[in-house]
Amino acid sequence: MLAHAGALLHFVPDEDGAHELVGRLLSELPSGSFLTVTHATADFAPEESKAAVEKLGAAGVTLALRSREEFGRFFDGLELVEPGIELPHQWHPELGEPVPGQDDGVIPGYGAVGRKP
């Protein structure tokens, strides 16, 4: 089975139970299932990220940008699939075609796949 949380968890702060939500999801999945997650971060553009958090906050939207280490906590107890935690466009780039206009910058986020033992 596959559980996918693409570009969702950065809208759920830790105090609102982001990790508990993933834990409940995983508890319902059988051994051998996979969890895929993509998540925004401020690691690469802190000033721009701060402005985005403030702008969305003013509109009533919470944005919980997590560091690489904080993102990695979603995979505690899982076996990370190679290449592990990576920039989304660097996660097996040989499997797809380049997207025009995205070859000269960093996509400010992380992606990973974990297998439930």
Side-chain angles (χ1 to χ4, degrees):
M1 296 192 83
L2 174 68
H4 177 65
L8 294 174
L9 291 171
H10 47 246
F11 294 110
V12 185
D14 289 345
E15 58 271 13
D16 286 347
H19 293 279
E20 292 79 4
L21 180 67
V22 171
R24 281 189 308 219
L25 174 66
L26 288 170
S27 72
E28 298 295 323
L29 296 176
S31 178
S33 295
F34 291 88
L35 171 69
T36 67
V37 181
T38 57
H39 197 295
T41 185
D43 286 355
F44 305 105
E47 292 303 315
E48 293 88 345
S49 298
K50 180 180 176 187
V53 168
E54 291 171 356
K55 184 175 182 178
L56 287 171
V61 177
T62 300
L63 190 58
L65 302 178
R66 292 182 174 89
S67 68
R68 185 180 198 282
E69 181 180 323
E70 292 167 330
F71 172 73
R73 284 189 49 222
F74 288 113
F75 295 91
D76 285 352
L78 301 179
E79 301 163 353
L80 281 175
V81 174
E82 288 296 326
I85 298 170
E86 188 58 80
L87 299 171
H89 65 288
Q90 293 295 324
W91 210 93
H92 287 295
E94 72 279 7
L95 299 178
E97 295 294 321
V99 176
Q102 292 186 350
D103 54 352
D104 60 349
V106 172
I107 296 171
Y110 294 110
V113 177
R115 182 182 176 277
K116 183 176 178 180

